[in-house]
Amino acid sequence: MGKVTSTPPLLFQSKLLCFSLFYLFSSLFLALYTSLSHTKCIFRSSPFDPLLTPLFSYPPSYGEHKYAIPTLRSTCSSPVYFSDYWNVLEEIQILCKKSSSSSSNSSLRYMQGSADTFGGNFSFHDRLSHFSNENNNIAGIPCGFLKKFPISNSDRIAMENCKGVVVVSAIFHDHDKVRQPKGLGSKTLENVCFYMFVDDITLRGLDYHKLISRKSPEYTVGAWRIIKVSRKGLYDNPAMNGVIPKYLVHRLFPNSKFSIWIDAKLQLMVDPLLLIHTLVISENADMAISKHPLYIHTMEEAMATARWKKWWDVDGLKLQMETYCESGLQPWSSNKLPYPSDVPDSALILRRHGVEGNLFSCLLFNELEGFNPRDQLAFAFVRDQMSPKLKLNMFDVEVFEQIAVEYRHNLKHGGGTTAGGSKGSRVTQSKKTKRASPDLLYVNGSCCSRCQKYLFEMWGESLD
């Protein structure tokens, strides 16, 4: 009889196949471990009952998770602690009911009437006259809506019926993707409204990718209710249209008690109820916003805006900074504590809808209409000059990176043609940068010396 020999199964005869299987299972294990570790680190709290069903199924062509911007933060070094979800839910529900039943005598009065622009386009002197509301301005604070905000009546009614926490975002010119929030608790969608404002170009893109049907009377994409905003009657600049829901959220949602603004370039990774409780309620703050990762002084942000051509009119930037400087803007110092910085990262803003927070939002919006939509430039001036003072929680960048993932804006090809747009539908091209002229270099003698130094540098660098 011949010697019996055993041969390995065919599955293991190929080294390449074995290696591929090993790599596949290793990758799956690491992905699962990373996902679980991230969730564990974020929710350092008592038992949490998350939603497990995906909020929306995107077609592969949409690519909502492309081009994420990496960070150096470790996934297992949470800089913020979140309380028990169920206790937070109950506490916020009680706060919202108390706020609804309380008297409205202490609320702001808003200016009524009509104007050629949405915000009235007041002069700087007129805007400055409204910075103090200590005696509850009888004439009313200018706060937009001096021209009708062009949305449907059904959307307006739905927005008025949002009576608790609202999360708001906006996409104009199809510049970003609609991304679903993650880490939501099982009762969050019943207690939090999600609204995304879009223009016609963005709506065509959503229809092109079959995320919505233009024939529907209302649009939803997962958690988000999509609100179409007509361009007629608003600003030519899409960025300026975007700051209407960003800073006038308390007017668009008059019965909401708390709000979160999130730029469409971000994906929310933590339940909004936990964020409001931890960053606003627990800190007794009117507003919570992240510190800028690089800059502390407003002039530094202004110089970066000119240097990187974030705004085309450098003359206008200089005039804005000179105006603020002559009207009391000072570089940040320890004298401004407890405000730790003059420059925020305004991509994520959490608010309590009260007198101070609403006043700040109105005043800042007016500055954006008066000068330009670069909100970081007017932020410190409004905050420091307004009265009553704003209770502000400026949290660390590490917290920001823990609660949101940032993506790059949509890449436009062929001169800016948008997906789903017609052949002639193009994104407005950036205007040619208007360099600062030497005659704008004059600064009033009352302006602080450090502001003068920044303005000289700003003028010089704008010519490079």
Side-chain angles (χ1 to χ4, degrees), residues 6-14 18:
S6 61
T7 58
L10 291 176
L11 181 64
F12 297 102
Q13 290 186 22
S14 170
C18 290

Side-chain angles (χ1 to χ4, degrees), residues 278-388:
T278 299
L279 300 175
V280 176
I281 296 174
S282 296
E283 297 290 332
N284 192 28
D286 301 308
M287 177 181 293
I289 194 168
S290 171
K291 291 184 286 187
H292 194 280
L294 300 176
Y295 308 130
I296 295 178
H297 306 291
T298 301
M299 289 297 178
E300 293 175 319
E301 175 63 28
M303 290 170 62
T305 301
R307 183 186 305 122
W308 300 110
K309 300 181 180 179
K310 296 179 180 180
W311 184 248
W312 59 277
D313 186 1
V314 179
D315 273 0
L317 291 175
K318 286 187 79 286
L319 179 61
Q320 179 182 15
M321 290 300 100
E322 289 177 358
T323 301
Y324 288 164
C325 187
E326 293 174 354
S327 300
L329 176 66
Q330 294 288 325
W332 186 89
S333 69
S334 58
N335 294 331
K336 290 193 177 186
L337 292 173
Y339 303 141
S341 172
D342 279 352
V343 186
D345 185 333
S346 59
L348 184 69
I349 308 174
L350 302 94
R351 297 181 180 90
R352 182 198 307 267
H353 290 183
V355 172
E356 291 81 2
N358 294 350
L359 176 63
F360 174 83
S361 297
C362 294
L363 297 176
L364 186 58
F365 176 83
N366 295 335
E367 292 306 301
L368 302 185
E369 185 186 63
F371 284 111
N372 59 70
R374 304 299 304 178
D375 54 352
Q376 293 159 307
L377 301 181
F379 183 88
F381 178 77
V382 173
R383 181 200 65 190
D384 295 347
Q385 301 297 320
M386 67 174 279
S387 180

Side-chain angles (χ1 to χ4, degrees), residues 59-116:
S61 63
Y62 192 61
E64 81 278 15
H65 291 310
K66 288 184 177 180
Y67 315 117
I69 297 177
T71 66
L72 299 178
R73 178 189 55 78
S74 168
T75 57
C76 265
S77 57
S78 175
V80 61
Y81 176 82
F82 299 106
S83 299
D84 172 61
Y85 173 79
W86 300 106
N87 291 340
V88 167
L89 176 62
E90 182 180 6
E91 184 176 345
I92 290 180
Q93 288 175 335
I94 292 173
L95 285 173
C96 290
K97 288 179 180 177
K98 285 183 177 179
S99 179
S100 297
S101 60
S102 62
S103 172
S104 60
N105 292 335
S106 60
S107 61
L108 288 180
R109 291 187 175 93
Y110 300 117
M111 184 175 290
Q112 305 295 319
S114 60
D116 293 334

Side-chain angles (χ1 to χ4, degrees), residues 63-71 177 179 265-267 269 404-409 411:
E64 81 278 15
H65 291 310
K66 288 184 177 180
Y67 315 117
I69 297 177
T71 66
K177 302 292 185 185
R179 299 183 174 91
K265 67 180 179 179
L266 301 181
Q267 182 179 25
M269 303 301 289
V405 174
E406 183 174 356
Y407 293 82
R408 291 178 176 85
H409 294 297
L411 300 178

Side-chain angles (χ1 to χ4, degrees), residues 29 43 53 99 102 127-128 141 163 167 173 186 193 202 204 223 225 264-265 299 354 366 380-381 416 448 462-463:
F29 173 77
F43 295 108
T53 306
S99 179
S102 62
R127 300 197 303 270
L128 205 58
I141 301 293
K163 299 180 179 180
V167 179
H173 269 305
S186 58
C193 316
T202 306
R204 285 199 296 269
R225 175 163 177 158
K265 67 180 179 179
M299 289 297 178
N366 295 335
F381 178 77
C448 66
S462 69
L463 298 179

